[in-house]
Amino acid sequence: MEIPAKYQHTKAENKWYNYWLDNQFFHSTPDEREPYTIVIPPPNVTGVLHMGHMLNNTIQDVLARRARMEGKNVCWVPGTDHASIATEAKVVNKLREEGITKDQLTRESFMEHAWEWKEKHGGIILEQLKKLGASCDWERTRFTMDKELYDSVIKVFIDLYEKGLIYRGVRMVNWDPVAKTAVSDEEVIHKEEQSKLYYLRYQIEGEEDYITIATTRPETILGDTAVCVNPNDERFTKYAGKKCIVPLVNRAVPIIQDEYVDIEFGTGALKITPAHDENDYEIGMRHKLETIDIFNDNGTLSEAAELFVDKDRFEVRDLIIPELEKAGNLVKIEDYTNKVGYSERTDAVIEPKLSAQWFLKMSELAKPALEHVMNDDIKFHPAKFKNVYRHWMENIRDWCISRQLWWGQRIPVYYFDNGEYVVASSIDEALRKAEEKTGKTYTEADLCQDEDVLDTWFSSWLWPISVFNGINKPDNKDINYYYPTNDLITGPDIIFFWVARMIMAGFEYRKEIPFKNVYFTGIVRDSQRRKMSKQLGNSPDPLDLIKEYGADGVRVGILLSAPAGGDLLYEDSLVEQGRNFTTKIWNTFRLVKSWNAEDKSQPKYAATAVAWFEQKLAQEASKLNEQLKSYRISEALMTAYTLIRDDFSSWYLEAVKPPFGEAMDRTTYDASVNFLEQLMQLLHPFMPFVTEEVWQLLREREDGESLMVTTLPNYTNEDASLLEDIQVAQEVVTAIRTIRKDKNIGFKEELTLTVSHEIPCTEVIEKMGNISETTVTGEKPEQSIGFTVNNTSCYIPMTGAIDIEAERKKITEELDYTKGFLNSVTKKLSNERFVNNAPEKVVAIEQKKKADAEAKIAELEAQLKAL
RNA sequence: GGGCGAAUAGCUCAGUUGGUUCAGAGCACCUGGUUUACACCCAGGGGGUCGGGGGUUCGAAUCCCUCUUCGCCCA
């Protein structure tokens, strides 16, 4: 077969991915083998692939492919979540372009539009993952709104409600005025901002005296129902029990005292707006204050504000200041830095707002979830995230799970008779429960289902269970076999949103951990450490990268600089390195393939090289195994990288290469093909395509065979004797190459070597250094350049003149260094406290260092004398 | 304001219980090279007071204290 000089990655990627699919290699069904399960962190169904997904899914694929080659039954479940806020926003936008607003539609017809949108756009990201080589079991693809998963969510809501863990309450929530829904605490991102602190004076009722407050939100004064001071603040004791007048609206409100107020901050007097600030709300509760909600759901001012009605809250902030100034209430304005909460989904400024929502009590659920992470039943990689996790778990707050949206699981609560309600999985069940509850008879028309849906994370937290239908059918074959899953690969940014809650759900519904290991990836940034974002335009399109550098190249590029939990600074040079390595493998393959084997005796150098590489391969394979087992994925890749590039290509292949035009002996040839085959196996999880291509071309293969379903051999490195010997030989060869370079002697010119003692593997040294003869003698040859390796003097005789002074200088320098070293070792050994306290082993090492240094000094002195 | 983490070569990072010549890797850099697998390459090379200071120890990149700077989370 003709082997092309250049590896054609796109062709190979399409060919082999389809081949794997056709042969069902990704598909898993329970059997007697040990399972290895990963559930994908479901990407947002509205999303397209970005660099973060690339990193995350490459790691999952490495682990999945490796486990498959270890003989495990691997099941990697793909899927997407319904992303209620994001998807609903997209559907609303699309409808708007068609001239339709959401409130013109019924809930049912809106849902039809949403499903239509999902069918059209929802599969994109999963198709993109295939280009990366992801070995997911596509037959198991799940979506959080699929019937089984939808029903699971409803079942869990009802169950938790019945256990008394879900309650409805009027609370201060984070209101997103763009999405017009409540969001959870975790969905609020606090950003530091330059803003202003406004000092406003409120007149004391009936007096020509004023009390000055400081606020960052002057527009909210319209909702003020008190001014509060600290009871210990003597400046304000004279106002106790009095009232003051809220400017512009001229409402008299009490001046109250509460220790919450910080005497040092601002003026020491605080305006209280119970409807629009969490702390104010609590103070309001304590002092039984009136609550005036001055905002509409979309962030404009309501009738209750009296002024600026229907104007936006930020517009009002600008409008109200001149009015306050005109009225004589503005004292001063200062620059001020504060933190403002933004909606994670819409980037709107969050408005604290009182509203009735559904909450899940967290304290009991958190207990086992905390314990089993702290005791390492679930291991975090890197472990430093345990601290972050503990802190959150120990200060956990109830979870607001209702959202004022339509796209999602509708809350299974039915209201009737002015505020009575029942929780039921269907209207029929609701009717029955309602009748049981009151003894009356109802029709469907009497019942009204809650308009709201559940938070998307309330679906995602069940994911490792619900993808196997383990909520609806807790004893089915799949859940029993695949659960708990093995590894979860995710970003640290969703440790609370998702990881923590999955652990809680795992214990609540399976009495077991949902996964054994959590691997936190870093965040992909650009070379200036900025997060990749569409706005900045600093994120490359992953599919373009794959097209240009190949999927394998991109995978390698992204893994090379991605230690667990550490950010990845993306640059094109990384994927270039990946592409270059792909090419290197291809050329290595072409060289091996170009050799002709015939029956003849094996040269000694080849026999030594084969024996050495066998040991080297075993050593590096077990190192790689250790690295993967401890989730040092980029280090494992680097092990394979240097093994192939340096040890195999630069040393082994050069050592066994037959003289130009000659055939190779069959023993060496077979060994070389074997080695390359095994290297492809080791590398396959990282670079699935090029390794499969090489593996398929390396020998005749049957249809249906594939590298990806081969099993890794057990590497045992019982005889590592040659490893040190070759290392010495490599040092000698390097020294010879340096001399060639210094003296401008081309590789083709043969040299001879004289050594003071026998050195190992001279046949390899001769081959690699183009040495015609090695002589062992205590005599230094005339006209030669020397170097020392392993306490042996080596000389290369020269035809030209030798710079004696330069030689002397070189040796003297090395001698001085070694003497200095010997001195420090001797000092250490003559320190009684060291000899008495240090372990024997350490002392023995020092003694060996001493002996070695002395031998080397003797050798160097002999060299000097010989000059 | 509270908590957590980090600081090692120009860059990105390893460095496991303190002890092999431990100061490392990759990239970048410098020098040489038309060796018939590969210039997307090969060969050779330079480069760090392990953030500053103090302490424990026979011995500290590693443990303790402190300061500085940066990052993340929470309020």
Side-chain angles (χ1 to χ4, degrees), chain A residues 630-660:
Chain A
S630 49
Y631 297 87
R632 297 155 173 245
I633 299 182
S634 52
E635 284 180 43
L637 171 58
M638 191 48 69
T639 298
Y641 181 90
T642 51
L643 178 64
I644 290 172
R645 202 189 57 174
D646 300 340
D647 297 310
F648 189 66
S649 297
S650 295
W651 285 99
Y652 174 78
L653 290 179
E654 292 300 332
V656 299
K657 203 183 234 177
F660 183 65

Side-chain angles (χ1 to χ4, degrees), chain A residues 225-419:
Chain A
T225 55
V227 166
C228 188
V229 296
N230 192 304
N232 304 318
D233 192 338
E234 289 172 8
R235 293 174 296 177
F236 299 117
T237 40
K238 58 182 174 180
Y239 298 132
K242 292 187 177 175
K243 288 190 168 185
C244 62
I245 310 293
V246 178
L248 305 183
V249 288
N250 297 321
R251 175 169 56 239
V253 298
I255 296 170
I256 58 171
Q257 293 182 319
D258 194 293
E259 302 225 336
Y260 168 79
V261 177
D262 180 358
I263 298 175
E264 303 296 321
F265 183 80
T267 61
L270 181 67
K271 72 187 220 40
I272 304 295
T273 323
H276 302 294
D277 182 282
E278 185 146 10
N279 296 312
D280 289 12
Y281 175 68
E282 278 166 26
I283 293 171
M285 297 283 275
R286 280 201 288 277
H287 298 269
K288 301 197 167 44
L289 296 173
E290 190 190 349
T291 298
I292 303 174
D293 183 349
I294 61 162
F295 291 121
N296 294 313
D297 287 351
N298 64 359
T300 59
L301 270 69
S302 68
E303 296 287 342
E306 297 179 37
L307 302 169
F308 310 108
V309 174
D310 289 337
K311 289 200 160 48
D312 184 77
R313 51 196 168 142
F314 295 109
E315 195 187 342
V316 174
R317 187 174 300 174
D318 293 333
L319 292 173
I320 202 168
I321 293 304
E323 294 294 322
L324 287 165
E325 194 170 14
K326 220 186 297 172
N329 295 101
L330 183 66
V331 179
K332 62 175 173 173
I333 304 175
E334 280 180 355
D335 287 328
Y336 182 67
T337 310
N338 67 338
K339 291 242 177 126
V340 178
Y342 285 81
S343 167
E344 203 225 357
R345 288 286 170 211
T346 65
D347 207 34
V349 174
I350 290 295
E351 192 61 54
K353 188 174 157 71
L354 269 181
S355 84
Q357 302 286 346
W358 291 94
F359 293 88
L360 175 58
K361 284 186 198 163
M362 299 299 270
S363 53
E364 285 306 310
L365 291 170
K367 276 180 192 162
L370 174 60
E371 183 195 331
H372 291 274
V373 168
M374 295 324 286
N375 70 11
D376 282 340
D377 285 344
I378 297 173
K379 285 200 184 67
F380 282 6
H381 307 273
K384 66 180 177 186
F385 286 107
K386 279 168 76 174
N387 283 330
V388 182
Y389 181 85
R390 187 186 58 213
H391 188 256
W392 188 76
M393 280 296 191
E394 286 174 349
N395 296 284
I396 198 156
R397 294 155 54 144
D398 289 351
W399 177 11
C400 174
I401 54 175
S402 44
R403 297 290 180 273
Q404 286 62 54
L405 300 164
W406 284 347
W407 178 242
Q409 290 90 1
R410 189 169 179 180
I411 293 178
V413 172
Y414 297 83
Y415 301 91
F416 59 100
D417 283 2
N418 289 332

Side-chain angles (χ1 to χ4, degrees), chain A residues 91 94-95 98 100 105-119 407:
Chain A
V91 176
K94 187 206 150 223
L95 290 172
E98 295 167 11
I100 308 169
L105 295 175
T106 62
R107 186 174 191 123
E108 285 66 35
S109 64
F110 178 85
M111 288 300 274
E112 276 170 31
H113 279 104
W115 275 108
E116 200 179 290
W117 193 93
K118 186 262 169 188
E119 292 310 322
W407 178 242

Side-chain angles (χ1 to χ4, degrees), chain A residues 780 784 802 804 807-809 811 862-867:
Chain A
K780 173 189 178 298
S784 62
I802 301 297
I804 305 274
E807 283 295 291
R808 196 188 304 278
K809 191 170 168 241
I811 297 165
Q863 279 179 37
L864 261 190
K865 210 169 158 191
L867 267 177

Side-chain angles (χ1 to χ4, degrees), chain A residues 212-224:
Chain A
T212 302
I213 58 93
T215 180
T216 56
R217 300 197 59 190
E219 71 280 10
T220 62
I221 68 164
L222 304 173
D224 283 358

Side-chain angles (χ1 to χ4, degrees), chain A residues 64-79:
Chain A
R65 286 179 183 271
R66 174 79 186 188
R68 224 176 257 119
M69 294 174 87
E70 286 168 353
K72 292 177 190 151
N73 183 351
V74 171
C75 183
W76 179 12
V77 183

Side-chain angles (χ1 to χ4, degrees), chain A residues 103 198 203 244 320 339 357 422 467 476 494 509 522 538 582 606 667 763 788:
Chain A
D103 32 295
Y198 301 90
Q203 188 176 5
C244 62
I320 202 168
K339 291 242 177 126
Q357 302 286 346
V422 288
V467 294
N476 79 67
I494 54 174
Y509 289 102
N538 59 350
T582 313
T667 312
E763 63 282 7
T788 316

